[in-house]
Amino acid sequence: MSSAIKSIMNFSLICLCLSFSVAIAESPVFDIVITGGRVMDPETNFDGIRSVGINGDRIVEISSNKLQGKRTIKASGLIVGPGFIDLHAHGQTNDAHRYQVRDGVTTALELESGVTFLREWIASKTGKTIVNFGGTVPHGSLRVMAMSAYEQQAQKMQKLVEKEGLDSPKVKSLRSSETHIDFSKANYRSLSQSEITKTNQLMDNYLEAGALGIGVPVGYYSGATAGEIFSVYQFAASRKVPIYSHTRGFGLAGIQEAIANASASRASLHVVHANSLSLGEIQTTLSIISDAQKNGLDITTEVYPYSAASTSLESQIFDEGWQKILNISYKDLQWVATGERLTKETFHSYRKEGGTVIIHMMKPEWINTGVSHPITMIASDGMPYAPAAHPRTAGTFSRVLGKYVREQHSLDLMTALKKMTIMPANRLAATAPTMNNKGRLQVGMDADITIFDPERVIDKADFNGLKHSEGIEYVLVNGTIVVDEGENVENIFPGRPILGKYRR
């Protein structure tokens, strides 16, 4: 071989090596790489083995090629999906959030009841919360604050909260102070037209504070007339924000009132926990809402996968006649503080005291109908944290994946993920633009990600106490790992507020 040819070959080899070195050098190093997992995106129906590259709070690459990361999560045999979005979470403390993230939740919202003193609440949680959070206008509270009998007390409360902050001892002692409003009496009162006008002004203020719609749990304030509630729907339609409603009473009458209001006003409506509101008429409720959607109405609903409800024993739900309405008796009520089933005597004693009960009132087949129906979303209705709180507080999403997908085959995995991610994200998107970046496993989306073992995932909480779900291996909130190898990461608070479009 001539020296000239050798020189050319050596030069080519050097160029090849240099090119390879440059390629290696230019290969990006991501903050986090999730490798070898089964990536599932419920919006596009993508389902395949891929690696996911994350920088900061965003998904920046999804590839079949090997990716390099400062931290690598090996997800072989695991599902990599969007973080679960819970539209109905009353547990809004980090004590509750520690259980929720172990159930795959990355966004937990208080939409049924709304949040009183919303602006201050958002400020108090920002930078201090594990998951993304947000709330609606609390119509039930604001209608009382607008009553002439309570207006001065409401103003004192507002000034105290603004001055001291929600976490101050003075504010926490409101219940025993002169500024306390007796909601137990006020909820039986109706509003005058001037009070309705005042309520609308307050609701506007809350929308400007970042509210995600209007929470209308009218089932807890029977004093509200049909005309008052219809005026709320008219207000919501004028502002183009959704109503999230626990409808009046149980059974179809209250649900039909809400749907009639939405149809007439053209307001957007979300009926919360259709399973417990409908009881044995769940199929009829879902058929009505399904037909409403086909006719162009923006009406949606949700269910939770347990056959018991939970609420305050002192609420109007347990006014005279509750046994006939719910078709249950004292023994079907479980006192959360002790776990005991109630008797006539303890019912009346505890009702005066006030506290939470678990209500065993639904049949498994009703729940299966709700979970498997194509129009329903999954939402927990999780209660404020307590060691013996309703198990839905800790296990809702894992129960759907373990019991209803894997064990009973009531629905397939992709459909279940849709109900937990893209459907709730789309429900919120018109009011909260940031939700267009959530509920999806795609390049450019927020890195809210839940990684779980489809063969192991299951709820472990029961009616004797809270326990962490199993099989949720990793959870990322805005690109920060909050569950790592099945364990909570402590002192990490990446949650951000989800704010409505009128925020000022």
Side-chain angles (χ1 to χ4, degrees):
M1 183 181 296
S2 70
S3 58
I5 294 175
K6 287 182 179 180
S7 297
I8 293 171
M9 291 180 64
N10 288 337
F11 179 75
S12 299
L13 182 60
I14 290 170
C15 290
L16 181 61
C17 291
L18 285 172
S19 298
F20 182 73
S21 299
V22 169
I24 292 294
E26 291 178 350
S27 202
V29 178
F30 301 96
D31 292 336
I32 298 173
V33 166
I34 303 166
T35 183
R38 180 182 168 191
V39 172
M40 298 183 71
D41 175 50
E43 184 175 50
T44 62
N45 290 314
F46 176 81
D47 184 350
I49 305 300
R50 294 291 188 275
S51 291
V52 179
I54 297 163
N55 278 335
D57 59 1
R58 291 297 175 102
I59 300 168
V60 295
E61 187 162 349
I62 299 175
S63 176
S64 55
N65 297 324
K66 185 177 180 180
L67 304 179
Q68 297 183 69
K70 299 172 186 175
R71 165 71 194 272
T72 298
I73 295 173
K74 296 180 180 179
S76 179
L78 305 179
I79 303 297
V80 181
F84 305 153
I85 299 167
D86 191 349
L87 298 179
H88 193 161
H90 298 301
Q92 288 290 334
T93 66
N94 281 324
D95 285 335
H97 296 330
R98 288 185 185 92
Y99 284 89
Q100 290 164 343
V101 292
R102 293 285 291 274
D103 199 33
V105 173
T106 56
T107 299
L109 306 171
E110 171 57 277
L111 303 184
E112 177 202 32
S113 300
V115 178
T116 309
F117 308 119
L118 178 69
R119 191 180 295 276
E120 293 78 14
W121 179 77
I122 290 170
S124 73
K125 285 178 69 67
T126 300
K128 303 174 184 177
T129 304
I130 299 170
V131 299
N132 302 310
F133 59 94
T136 53
V137 171
H139 175 257
S141 296
L142 298 190
R143 68 180 298 275
V144 177
M145 292 181 175
M147 292 178 182
S148 57
Y150 298 107
E151 193 169 5
Q152 288 186 347
Q153 290 163 278
Q155 290 173 354
K156 288 181 180 179
M157 289 172 65
Q158 183 65 51
K159 289 179 181 178
L160 182 60
V161 169
E162 289 174 356
K163 179 181 178 181
E164 301 287 341
L166 277 177
D167 295 329
S168 77
K170 289 183 180 180
V171 171
K172 290 180 179 179
S173 65
L174 279 176
R175 290 188 66 85
S176 59
S177 75
E178 63 176 4
T179 59
H180 172 58
I181 294 175
D182 188 353
F183 282 87
S184 62
K185 292 181 180 179
N187 286 338
Y188 290 92
R189 292 189 53 181
S190 57
L191 298 188
S192 66
Q193 185 56 53
S194 64
E195 289 169 338
I196 290 174
T197 300
K198 177 63 175 176
T199 302
N200 288 351
Q201 293 170 351
L202 293 173
M203 289 197 295
D204 258 334
N205 292 341
Y206 271 67
L207 289 176
E208 291 180 2
L212 299 171
I214 305 172
V216 186
V218 63
Y220 290 94
Y221 41 98
S222 60
T225 64
E228 178 194 338
I229 296 303
F230 182 62
S231 75
V232 182
Y233 281 75
Q234 290 177 308
F235 176 89
S238 72
R239 301 302 189 271
K240 292 183 171 54
V241 295
I243 282 177
Y244 296 84
S245 185
H246 176 133
T247 56
R248 198 188 301 271
F250 290 87
L252 289 178
I255 294 168
Q256 289 174 322
E257 177 193 24
I259 292 174
N261 285 342
S263 301
S265 66
R266 304 303 292 183
S268 172
L269 169 66
H270 182 82
V271 177
V272 304
H273 50 52
N275 51 314
S276 57
L277 286 175
S278 305
L279 299 178
E281 296 178 298
I282 180 68
Q283 182 60 62
T284 303
T285 292
L286 298 178
S287 295
I288 292 171
I289 295 175
S290 180
D291 279 1
Q293 291 179 358
K294 291 174 184 176
N295 288 316
L297 296 176
D298 186 11
I299 301 176
T300 56
T301 193
E302 70 188 42
V303 297
Y304 56 79
Y306 292 90
S307 58
S310 185
T311 195
S312 299
L313 186 59
E314 65 270 28
S315 72
Q316 291 187 19
I317 286 173
F318 294 105
D319 283 357
E320 189 69 30
W322 63 270
Q323 291 143 301
K324 182 177 180 180
I325 292 170
L326 301 179
N327 194 29
I328 58 174
S329 62
Y330 298 111
K331 65 180 175 59
D332 296 307
L333 304 180
Q334 183 178 351
W335 187 240
V336 164
T338 62
E340 69 186 283
R341 296 296 184 111
L342 300 191
T343 63
K344 182 178 180 180
E345 292 72 23
T346 56
F347 171 86
H348 291 289
S349 174
Y350 288 144
R351 193 160 196 236
K352 291 179 181 178
E353 175 184 331
T356 305
V357 287
I358 295 169
I359 315 165
H360 297 272
M361 66 179 191
M362 289 171 274
K363 295 181 179 180
E365 55 267 31
W366 303 348
I367 306 305
N368 189 72
T369 295
V371 169
S372 61
H373 197 282
I375 70 165
T376 58
M377 303 175 205
I378 303 300
S380 73
D381 194 10
M383 300 300 290
Y385 172 78
H390 194 298
R392 68 194 185 196
T393 301
T396 289
F397 297 90
S398 296
R399 183 174 180 83
V400 170
L401 295 171
K403 178 180 176 65
Y404 291 94
V405 174
R406 184 180 65 245
E407 296 176 3
Q408 294 188 184
H409 306 290
S410 300
L411 67 169
D412 63 79
L413 181 55
M414 186 67 85
T415 299
L417 291 178
K418 287 178 187 290
K419 292 170 176 283
M420 302 173 181
T421 60
I422 191 62
M423 290 173 69
N426 286 340
R427 170 75 275 181
L428 287 156
T431 306
T434 188
M435 294 308 295
N436 286 301
N437 293 324
K438 296 189 184 296
R440 301 155 171 88
L441 208 299
Q442 300 169 24
V443 171
M445 298 297 108
D446 292 345
D448 290 349
I449 298 174
T450 293
I451 305 172
F452 63 94
D453 185 343
E455 300 302 319
R456 291 182 51 248
V457 64
I458 195 68
D459 62 317
K460 302 302 289 186
D462 56 30
F463 293 105
N464 297 315
L466 296 185
K467 301 179 184 68
H468 293 300
S469 295
E470 290 185 355
I472 304 291
E473 300 300 325
Y474 300 90
V475 176
L476 286 75
V477 176
N478 296 309
T480 297
I481 299 172
V482 296
V483 175
D484 194 351
E485 296 183 356
E487 298 293 336
N488 293 88
V489 179
E490 298 299 330
N491 300 315
I492 295 291
F493 307 108
R496 297 174 183 171
I498 307 298
L499 302 173
K501 60 186 177 182
Y502 292 110
R503 168 75 173 190
R504 291 184 181 176

